[in-house]
Each structure stands twice: as structure tokens, then as C-alpha cells.
């Protein structure tokens, strides 16, 4: 049994003082107020549940700082991203992903949804293990001490009726049936499996149902209406919006999470909300790529559960993503306070874990996966902080000091206990993207 004593801990509806927290076998067994018991590990500051990063493409981390100075659009950025994708193999991707997931652990992320489409070798040639790239990501998460949901992504076309070319050929299994046949399902205990449709551009409409059937009750993710150009192309090809196309082919539902959902009609918002489809917002990426601002308030009003992700990893900081949901809504509507700090924290914890197939994680309560993230209150940003408003609106990932994932200590005093020097690992593993 492990015992911690939190100076302050978020218990779902309140920030409680002096909380004794016990776990056995990776799950919480007791949460009780009181004085610090002998032998309990002190968690000084504000302790939160583990954060869930619902949308990640690990290899995009190698692009940080290398695409941010230039003019252009999502589409010019994408050409640079493809050059990085083309350089990776299972060994170099493992090394990069260990470092990226190490950075996530240091930021308080205890589970990641990896939207994985870099499946095959150059020219689309299969590795001896056709899941070698996905296996590298699963192994990397174990190395970094966090959980992963491998969202194995079906990616078949460059656009409506457009064949793949260049680096994209590595993403494809040929058709949805071959994609489904490659799936292995659940992995080791720290890993769960989910499916993804890259987008309505990349999976022809007549193959969507095959992916839905293969996903079963597992999480199913899809990039949705991140760009106006996708909407225009979908309207030209199918005379409907991407949301309408997905709804018509059975893709929407409570196990489904749409990523971005930036450019929606009122009818689209209704389809997502009434079907219980979740939306994962990635504000720092959406700002970085000049995507636009999603209608977070109307989506939530319609019944859509919101979660957050760091996507392109311009930064890895779920506090920035969570407050980005509220700040984007303020800019969009010219009104303050649509989402409370508690609602934003729920998006980054409970709802996020559920969206990637860990409904047993994301809260500090008996029976839940024993994840703890402690934010220091002796930093310049959080000195004097005694509430979660301070954390949600002022904290950065650098304020995370202690992380426990599944009952195991991963970060102590701001240092990654399993990996050591994560900045060095990041620097070494992304050298290949320098030229
Ligand atoms: Zn994405």
C-alpha cells in the first residue's frame, strides 16, 4: 500500500485541505481528511487528478520551433510535417516518443491518446511486424511511465477521390478491411486500443462503416472540420458537411470523439450534441495553425462532452489547452466566464480519460486509477494560490512538481524518476529533423 498526504487536493467538487490518500494495486483505496500520518509521502501544493492528453501525434514534437517563424497556412505546415514523418523508423520513433511522453509526464499527463497513422515503411512497405511503429509507441509510453491509448488510424486517401502520394503512402493499409485485419486489440496493462478515421478526406465514405464495425465499443476518434477547405471539398463531393457525412455512416455516438470541430454549422452542432459525440479541442495547435476557434460553448450546450489535447505539440501544457477553451470562447463571443475552472479541469481529467477509454481514471476517489498531479504553490506564477482558478488560469506545465501514475511515482520534485534528463532525450531524438 502507498500513502500520500496532500496539502490540498481536488476531490471533484471542492479543494480539500490536508487529505490522506491511499492506494493499493494502482487504485485508490481510501481518501480521508486529517493530519499527516507517519510514513506518508508529502505532496506540497495543490494536488489534482491525472491529466489526459486526448490528442497527440508524437512525431510532431520534432517540428517545434522549426515551423513557427514562417508565413503560410495549415497546408504549408503540413508539407514540413510530412518531411519529418518520412525520416522515422521504429527505433528512431521509439526514442523520440520516449522523450515526448517523458515531457508529457513532467507536465502532469498520465494518459495519452496517440492518433497514430505512421504505420508502414517508406513506399508503404510493411515492416516484418506490420504493427512495429504502433508497438514502438506503446513501449515508449511504458518507458516514460504513462498510459497510452493507441488510436490506430485508418488513412487511405489524400482527398475526395485523390490517391496518396509521397510520405502519405506510409500511412495507408490500402483499404479499410486491410486496416481492420492488421489490428491486434488490447495491449499490455498500461495500453488500451482504439480506432481512428483520419478525416472524411482520408477515408472514402463507403469504407467508414468498416472502421466503425472494427472499433466496436472502443474509442473512435476523427479529425473534423479543422479547415474550411475540408468542408468545401466535402460539400463538393457529397453535397453535405463532414459532420453530416459522419452521421449518415454511423460514425457519431458516445464512444466517438471529434478532434477540433472548428468550422461547424448549427445543424452540425446539433448532430454532435444529440448523438453524445465528444469533441477534443486543441487550442494551442488551432491557434498555431491558424485554424480558427471552435464553438465550444454551443457544443457544450448541445450536450457534447469536451476534452483537450496538445496535438501538434507546439507546447505540451494541458493548463494552456484547458484555459484556451475558455479564452477562445471569450474572444469568439466577447463575453467572459462561459466555463468555470472546475469545468475546464473536468475536461482535462474525467472527460479526457473517458474519451480515450479510461473511464476508471481522472478523479481522486476510491476505486479510481491512482493518478496524482501536484502543482507547486511556491513558484512565481502560483505563489499564494489557494484555489483551482489560480491553477487553471495561471499555471504552466513547469509548475507540475510531483506525478504519480497508477500508484507509481513518476515525477519527484520536478524530476522524471524513470528517464532522468528528459531535455537531453528530446534534443538527441529530434536531431534528425534539424536539416
Ligand atoms: Zn491531429
Amino acid at each position: 500500500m502507498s500513502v500520500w498526504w496532500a496539502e490540498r487536493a481536488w476531490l471533484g467538487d471542492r479543494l480539500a485541505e490536508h487529505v490522506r490518500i491511499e492506494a493499493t494495486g494502482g487504485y485508490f483505496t481510501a481518501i480521508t481528511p486529517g493530519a499527516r500520518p507517519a510514513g506518508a509521502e508529502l505532496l506540497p501544493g495543490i494536488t489534482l487528478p491525472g491529466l489526459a492528453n486526448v490528442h497527440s501525434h508524437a512525431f510532431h514534437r520534432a517540428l517545434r520551433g522549426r515551423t513557427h517563424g514562417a508565413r503560410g497556412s495549415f497546408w504549408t505546415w503540413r508539407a514540413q510535417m510530412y518531411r519529418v514523418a518520412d525520416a522515422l523508423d521504429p527505433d528512431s520513433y521509439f526514442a523520440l516518443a520516449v522523450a515526448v511522453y517523458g515531457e508529457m509526464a513532467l507536465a502532469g499527463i498520465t494518459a495519452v491518446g496517440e492518433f497514430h497513422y505512421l504505420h508502414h515503411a517508406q513506399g508503404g512497405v510493411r515492416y516484418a511486424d506490420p504493427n512495429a511503429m504502433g508497438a514502438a509507441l506503446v513501449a515508449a509510453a511504458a518507458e516514460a511511465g504513462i498510459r497510452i491509448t493507441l488510436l490506430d488510424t485508418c488513412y487511405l486517401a489524400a482527398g475526395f477521390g485523390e490517391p496518396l502520394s509521397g510520405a502519405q503512402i506510409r500511412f495507408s493499409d490500402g483499404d479499410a478491411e486491410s486496416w481492420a485485419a492488421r489490428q491486434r486489440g488490447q495491449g499490455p496493462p498500461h495500453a488500451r486500443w482504439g480506432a481512428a478515421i483520419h478525416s472524411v478526406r482520408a477515408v472514402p465514405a463507403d469504407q467508414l462503416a468498416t472502421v466503425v464495425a472494427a472499433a466496436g465499443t472502443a474509442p473512435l476518434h476523427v479529425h473534423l472540420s479543422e479547415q474550411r477547405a475540408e468542408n468545401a471539398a466535402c460539400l463538393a463531393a457529397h453535397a453535405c458537411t463532414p459532420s453530416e457525412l459522419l452521421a449518415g455512416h454511423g460514425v457519431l455516438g458516445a464512444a466517438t470523439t471529434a478532434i477540433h470541430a472548428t468550422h461547424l454549422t448549427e445543424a452540425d452542432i446539433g448532430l454532435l450534441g444529440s448523438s453524445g459525440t465528444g469533441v477534443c479541442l486543441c487550442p494551442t495547435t488551432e491557434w498555431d495553425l491558424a485554424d480558427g476557434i471552435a464553438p465550444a460553448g454551443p457544443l457544450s450546450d448541445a450536450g457534447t462532452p469536451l476534452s483537450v489535447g496538445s496535438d501538434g505539440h507546439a507546447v505540451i501544457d494541458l493548463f494552456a489547452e484547458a484555459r484556451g477553451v475558455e479564452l477562445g470562447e471569450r474572444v469568439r463571443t466577447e463575453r467572459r466566464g462561459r466555463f468555470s475552472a472546475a469545468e475546464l479541469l473536468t475536461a482535462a481529467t474525467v472527460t479526457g480519460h473517458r474519451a480515450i477509454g479510461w473511464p476508471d481514471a481522472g478523479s481522486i476517489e476510491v476505486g479510481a486509477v491512482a493518478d496524482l498531479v501536484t502543482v507547486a504553490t511556491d513558484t512565481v506564477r502560483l505563489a499564494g494560490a489557494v484555489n483551482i482558478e489560480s491553477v487553471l488560469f495561471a499555471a504552466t506545465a513547469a509548475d507540475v512538481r510531483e506525478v504519480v501514475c497508477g500508484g507509481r511515482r513518476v515525477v519527484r520534485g520536478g524530476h522524471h524518476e524513470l528517464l532522468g534528463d528528459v531535455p537531453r532525450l528530446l534534443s538527441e531524438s529530434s536531431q534528425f529533423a534539424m536539416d
Side-chain angles (χ1 to χ4, degrees):
M1 184 179 77
S2 306
V3 186
W4 302 273
W5 186 74
E7 196 181 358
R8 290 189 168 83
W10 178 251
L11 302 184
D13 57 356
R14 69 191 189 284
L15 193 61
E17 272 195 56
H18 301 166
V19 184
R20 175 190 164 122
I21 301 166
E22 296 175 15
T24 302
Y27 290 84
F28 293 125
T29 50
I31 315 284
T32 44
R36 182 180 179 184
E41 286 193 59
L42 175 64
L43 299 174
I46 294 177
T47 295
L48 309 171
L51 307 176
N53 190 0
V54 172
H55 191 63
S56 162
H57 308 281
F59 73 90
H60 292 192
R61 173 62 178 81
L63 289 162
R64 185 181 298 175
R66 296 184 179 123
T67 68
H68 295 93
R71 293 193 172 183
S73 67
F74 171 89
W75 307 101
T76 48
W77 165 84
R78 197 178 68 157
Q80 295 171 292
M81 183 268 280
Y82 283 167
R83 279 198 288 280
V84 168
D86 211 32
L88 287 161
D89 62 24
D91 289 341
S92 58
Y93 203 8
F94 171 75
L96 176 60
V98 167
V100 175
Y101 296 156
E103 181 179 356
M104 288 188 194
L106 287 167
I109 291 160
T110 52
V112 60
E114 180 65 36
F115 197 106
H116 168 58
Y117 53 80
L118 188 49
H119 300 305
H120 305 299
Q122 281 79 4
V125 176
R126 302 296 186 264
Y127 290 108
D129 169 3
N131 288 298
M133 291 295 258
L137 294 165
V138 169
E143 201 81 357
I146 67 171
R147 299 185 300 279
I148 185 170
T149 300
L150 190 71
L151 299 158
D152 196 299
T153 304
C154 187
Y155 195 138
L156 306 171
F160 297 96
E162 253 183 82
L164 296 171
S165 63
Q168 295 175 326
I169 290 168
R170 300 188 65 181
F171 309 161
S172 178
D173 290 288
D175 57 35
E177 285 201 357
S178 304
W179 166 86
R182 183 174 50 73
Q183 303 307 318
R184 283 208 196 116
Q186 301 302 345
H190 78 290
R192 289 182 184 171
W193 176 84
I197 291 162
H198 179 274
S199 59
V200 293
R201 289 178 280 124
V203 179
D206 62 359
Q207 300 192 51
L208 290 170
T210 305
V211 183
V212 174
T217 57
L220 173 61
H221 287 212
V222 55
H223 288 129
L224 176 66
S225 294
E226 180 178 6
Q227 295 290 321
R228 293 185 194 278
E230 173 179 299
N231 289 359
C234 188
L235 281 165
H238 294 289
C240 66
T241 66
S243 296
E244 289 165 349
L245 189 70
L246 295 176
H249 289 81
V251 178
L252 303 185
T256 300
T257 297
I259 315 300
H260 305 302
T262 310
H263 301 287
L264 302 179
T265 65
E266 269 185 45
D268 293 341
I269 293 169
L271 286 171
L272 294 170
S274 62
S275 60
T277 302
V279 164
C280 172
L281 300 167
C282 309
T284 68
T285 297
E286 289 146 12
W287 302 337
D288 182 46
L289 296 181
D291 287 342
I293 298 174
L299 279 165
S300 182
D301 291 340
T304 283
L306 300 179
S307 56
V308 290
S310 65
D311 189 6
H313 310 315
V315 294
I316 294 177
D317 185 339
L318 287 201
F319 302 121
E321 305 298 344
R323 70 175 155 266
V325 173
E326 164 63 16
L327 298 182
E329 193 64 5
R330 291 185 189 185
V331 170
R332 199 181 69 81
T333 62
E334 299 175 36
R335 281 177 183 272
R336 303 183 79 224
R338 170 61 185 79
F339 296 102
S340 68
E343 288 173 312
L344 299 175
L345 187 55
T346 297
T349 56
V350 181
T351 313
H353 277 98
R354 203 181 294 140
I356 56 173
W358 296 90
D360 44 350
S363 52
I364 302 175
E365 61 181 14
V366 172
V369 174
D371 290 352
L372 298 167
V373 173
T374 304
V375 174
T377 49
D378 60 359
T379 68
V380 286
R381 287 169 296 278
L382 294 181
V386 293
N387 59 33
I388 60 160
E389 283 71 16
S390 309
V391 177
L392 269 297
F393 286 98
T396 71
D399 298 312
V400 171
R401 199 161 287 168
E402 318 292 338
V403 178
V404 171
C405 183
R408 176 198 203 188
R409 175 72 79 140
V410 176
V411 175
R412 187 185 302 274
H415 179 80
H416 199 298
E417 290 236 296
L418 312 175
L419 296 178
D421 190 348
V422 174
R424 182 179 60 78
L425 296 177
L426 281 164
S427 168
E428 290 175 358
S429 64
S430 43
Q431 280 303 319
F432 74 94
M434 285 299 277
D435 23 276

